[in-house]
Amino acid sequence: DSTAPTPRSTPYAQPIPVAQSGTIRAQVFLDGKPFGNEYNQTFLFHKGLAKKVTMSPEADKGHHPASTFTLVNGVEGNAAYNDSEWFGFKGSNMQAVLDLDSIQDLHLVGINTINVKGDWIYPPKEVVFSVSDDGNTFKEVYKQTAFAQQGINKVRGHLQEVRGRYVKVQMQNFGKIPPGAAGAGNPAWLFADEFIVE
């Protein structure tokens, strides 16, 4: 229930089903006192969770989670981008298409990106979401071109009267790092994680 664990909390005895957004917190206790660090993990429960997603191009080797499932696993990457949740693209754009299995009402689309220019990671020039009934003909439903937040930028587009089965996100890479900045002249990194559909 997202509260701090105590020796009287329900003991972990079997896998915990995730049926709603929230934070799982756990702690080992020895003689009634906390032993070691607390474990906590926040999960986002949304329509796109664990659905089939295709991505192109593939992420670069240094920032390439085990599978595209990571893009819809309900776990947001951390600001240090060291948790194997982020897909990184050096100098290239990113596109992903999510299949919801059926045509549904859509109220929100989202994805996270990072702005840490000192590490050559730039926010995208734009993020565009489109929807489709058949996976071939897509209609744009949301676009964002400003990402001023340092660190993680959570792109969220609220929709009205939108239906679809397939949701596509396209992220345009910043391009070459400008003169005077760290890594000037090199291609910028674009980072993406947790493709959210509500």
Side-chain angles (χ1 to χ4, degrees):
D1 61 6
S2 299
T3 61
T6 72
R8 292 171 299 284
S9 297
T10 304
Y12 175 80
Q14 60 188 12
I16 301 168
V18 176
Q20 63 186 22
S21 295
T23 302
I24 293 176
R25 299 176 65 179
Q27 175 70 58
V28 174
F29 291 89
L30 182 63
D31 297 327
K33 296 180 181 175
F35 181 80
N37 295 326
E38 177 188 305
Y39 166 86
N40 65 74
Q41 178 64 63
T42 300
F43 293 92
L44 295 177
F45 194 83
H46 56 89
K47 287 184 178 183
L49 187 67
K51 297 296 185 184
K52 181 182 177 184
V53 61
T54 55
M55 181 187 297
S56 63
E58 284 195 17
D60 285 66
K61 281 187 177 180
H63 299 283
H64 193 301
S67 77
T68 55
F69 168 76
T70 305
L71 199 61
V72 289
N73 66 357
V75 178
E76 294 180 289
N78 66 32
Y81 54 90
N82 61 358
D83 54 4
S84 300
E85 292 291 327
W86 293 98
F87 291 84
F89 304 85
K90 189 174 184 181
S92 63
N93 300 333
M94 177 273 212
Q95 175 179 292
V97 178
L98 177 66
D99 182 355
L100 295 169
D101 299 327
S102 63
I103 296 173
Q104 303 179 30
D105 291 327
L106 306 175
H107 306 288
L108 179 142
V109 288
I111 198 160
N112 295 346
T113 189
I114 297 183
N115 178 5
V116 185
K117 294 175 182 170
D119 291 344
W120 305 13
I121 304 171
Y122 278 65
K125 285 186 175 179
E126 66 176 23
V127 175
V128 177
F129 290 91
S130 307
V131 300
S132 169
D133 292 344
D134 60 9
N136 295 313
T137 304
F138 284 83
K139 178 183 176 184
E140 183 179 315
V141 294
Y142 181 77
K143 178 193 268 188
Q144 184 170 321
T145 57
F147 312 91
Q149 179 75 29
Q150 179 70 15
I152 295 175
N153 282 255
K154 295 188 177 190
V155 178
R156 301 292 184 267
H158 296 274
L159 312 176
Q160 293 184 351
E161 297 182 16
V162 173
R163 288 176 58 79
R165 170 176 172 172
Y166 299 90
V167 182
K168 177 163 64 177
V169 59
Q170 297 168 290
M171 302 176 76
Q172 184 181 354
N173 191 288
F174 180 86
K176 289 202 172 179
I177 298 173
N186 287 288
W189 282 93
L190 168 67
F191 273 41
D193 178 49
E194 206 53 29
F195 188 175
I196 299 165
V197 178
E198 291 282 3

